Amino acid sequence: MSPFDINEVHIIPVRPTGEVQGEFDDELDLYNSALVYLLNDKKSIYIGESINIKNRFSNHNGHLVKKDLLSRHVIFSHLFNKSVTLHLEAFLINHFSAEKGLTLVNANLGNNGHYYHRKKEYELLFPQIWNQLEELHIARTSFEEIINSNVFKYSPYKSLNLDQQQAVLACLETLVEDKKGIFIQGNAGTGKTIIAIYVLKLLVTPIRYFEQFEMEDEFSVAAFTLLKRYREQHGITETNEDQLKDQIAIVVSMTSLRSTLQKVFRAIDQLSASMVISPTDLSKRSYKVVLVDEAHRLRRRKNISGYGDFDKSNIRLDLDVHTGTELDWIVKQSENQIFFYDSNQSIRPTDLPPSYFEDLKNSAAYKTVCLHTQIRSEGGDLFTDFVHRLFDLDLLPQERFESKGFELKLYESFVDMREQIFQREAEVGISRLVAGFSWEYKTKNKKNRHLYDMTIEGVDLRWNSTAKDWINSKDAIHEIGSIHTVFGNDLNYIAIVFGKEIDYDPINHKITVDRDQYKDTNGKNNTSELDLLFYVKNVYKTLMFRGIRGVYLYAINPNLKDYLSQYMDVVKRSDDSDSTLAPAYVISDFQTAGSIPYYDLEIAAGSFSELQQAEEITYIQIEGTTIDPDRYFACRVVGESMNQMIPNGSICLFEKYQGGSRNGLICLVESNEFIDSEFGAHYTIKKYSSKKTVSEEGWEHQEIILLPMSNDDSFQPIALRDQELLDLKVVGVFKRVLFLGEIS
């Protein structure tokens, strides 16, 4: 809570002259005090601050646009001083820029606050002031909805930090100097996209919107001076300045982010969706200035799904079909380029390697500016550093990242993590579940929308149903997003599944990648092991950098989970840490709605098919849960051969095997060629691995190895070859542990 009382802040209606409407009894002189004011009608709003309201309104009454904004209010308090009102003005400008149906007519200079005494305490008042503006029907959207909107997140009205201010000035200086372009480099979350939109908005806004007497800070005055020089050098005047809107664009290669920014640009005065283009769009016409967001995602002709449009663009520009790149298109089709770049966010071999940019960066025609300050994550620069060192295996023993305003947690249970992300979505919104590419995208084909892409701990899930602005789509909270859906986006909380493709080798102390388990074909073909490791690590780093308030992790592979658990708080399974939280179950000789068959393999004498056909089948009903009995069954798993995943005596959920690849899955198998020492029967539960050969008749199994996953090294793999393979049958695929301990 703020130490200041919101009742000491007054929102007062005033006349067009600035005089109070009605009586206002206050010991301070309102007409000569620091305050913030709002001018609006039903469609537009302007926000300013002043210490002489009558003089300021006299100026506005001669302005082409502001003179017609006749609904006027001042926000006034004896708590305010000049620094507070500058801060409040910037806050309101930023938030009203995202107000639906209300056009903000401010320019985006002069909104830069600065540090002052008790700044954070004053900031606590500002959302309460917004709520009062809602009550007066000046603001129309709740504060929570505003801050979760994309228009707010990408607003060109942000108050920039010193890093960002220097980058903006460097961009403008590049345009007025004899330079071809500039590289703005920075880690994820340093505000590169915000700077891109900020600069573009400055360049296309008519000069009349900039009123220098409202720009009292050094940065704004310097930026305005550079803007005027750029226009003078290019013969741009008030009569022809609208042409800039057709000569300046932002290039975004990723479909999802491009779609998001196009929606944002539609909502901001002076911007339009047509200013957000793809590299292919750029190949069709030239521009005066292009700003290239996420430049590290520009492509070369390698591992592209379809080469048709790519080749056409190269032919169109008289470039070699095989060697021409999207970077070549940009340089050829624009007079000046502003690249926003971070090589640590390159995730596929189609992304241009850093070497492709080096010639430009080392050229005297290009400048480079580096951003250092993390602005997205509440974890700040320390979190960014922690994540890099986590993946570089460079953390001190038991080192932890600790922050009062940011959560970093590792979950033992996927179900628990998913429930937590549902709760965060209900509390603050924009909280999403994402994963690495460890599962095929079967539902990408509309014919397969009835299927599921993955099942984790018994939960059936689908990949993102849309590539465009998935985060804000209606089904996003129930789906799993990929790296391509979150590039450039902010999430309040992000829950990340580390898939089967990434693991940790405790013997050699290194992160490893299983190429077979990595399902992004275009992300792995024609790559060395070292390159693939680089891309996969970048995928997970980039995902972790998306979280504003918190990052939750779940690892499929036990060794990776153990490695991560050394460096962050671990959330125990809810049914482990508190037995009262575990769901109850009922064993019955009769099937009820939602119950599933339960088989005791330890005493099974016949084949599994005989078990299923037996007259006396036991059923298990889990309290509060309905599970499809035609698809699932339960068994008790005894012994220690799988104790890394399945504790001895656990009742586990299995899905009936219906075909498809079994490699890497934990399977319940049946064979007369062995007797499992723990089950005492021709059944075993192991991790399935196979070697195949290809003949003229197709592929066939050469060897199947059933691998234990135990902390006890005495358990050996079961290897089956030749005739031993003939009666091997995969009965089911392990989904999750239902209960610990034995059924009595």
Side-chain angles (χ1 to χ4, degrees), residues 324-341:
T325 71
E326 290 179 344
L327 178 60
D328 295 326
W329 309 351
I330 287 166
V331 172
K332 190 165 187 175
Q333 292 290 86
S334 58
E335 295 179 19
N336 299 99
Q337 306 93 39
I338 301 174
F339 295 102
F340 297 86
Y341 180 75

Side-chain angles (χ1 to χ4, degrees), residues 186-292:
N187 286 323
T190 51
K192 296 185 294 298
T193 303
I194 290 173
I195 296 171
I197 299 172
Y198 193 100
V199 171
L200 191 151
K201 175 73 162 60
L202 288 182
L203 292 173
V204 301
T205 298
I207 204 73
R208 64 182 180 274
Y209 278 69
F210 299 103
E211 297 177 12
Q212 195 163 2
F213 65 84
E214 294 184 51
M215 292 180 260
E216 300 176 7
D217 61 291
E218 184 178 344
F219 161 71
S220 297
V221 173
F224 184 64
T225 301
L226 289 167
L227 275 175
K228 288 196 297 181
R229 283 182 58 191
Y230 175 73
R231 290 168 185 247
E232 289 167 1
Q233 289 175 356
H234 291 269
I236 299 168
T237 65
E238 289 192 37
T239 59
N240 65 2
E241 61 187 346
D242 280 347
Q243 67 178 300
L244 283 174
K245 294 179 181 178
D246 192 48
Q247 296 177 353
I248 300 174
I250 181 170
V251 177
V252 183
S253 60
M254 293 91 69
T255 302
S256 181
L257 180 58
R258 186 167 63 248
S259 174
T260 297
L261 293 186
Q262 285 170 341
K263 291 179 182 178
V264 169
F265 275 43
R266 289 189 189 103
I268 295 176
D269 187 41
Q270 305 302 319
L271 302 184
S272 67
S274 62
M275 295 175 179
V276 185
I277 64 174
S278 69
T280 301
D281 294 330
L282 180 64
S283 73
K284 298 174 182 178
R285 56 154 294 190
S286 61
Y287 286 83
K288 186 179 289 292
V289 179
V290 293
L291 302 97
V292 187

Side-chain angles (χ1 to χ4, degrees), residues 354-387:
S355 59
Y356 280 66
F357 295 94
E358 290 305 313
D359 286 345
L360 296 184
K361 291 170 64 178
N362 294 331
S363 166
Y366 288 83
K367 298 173 65 172
T368 299
V369 171
C370 294
L371 303 172
H372 302 285
T373 306
Q374 171 66 237
I375 64 168
R376 174 189 293 130
S377 169
E378 296 292 339
D381 299 329
L382 292 177
F383 179 67
T384 302
D385 176 69
F386 179 87
V387 171

Side-chain angles (χ1 to χ4, degrees), residues 73-88:
H73 292 76
V74 297
I75 305 175
F76 170 74
S77 176
H78 66 84
L79 300 172
F80 291 175
N81 55 41
K82 182 71 171 178
S83 294
V84 177
T85 56
L86 283 170
H87 187 192
L88 177 58

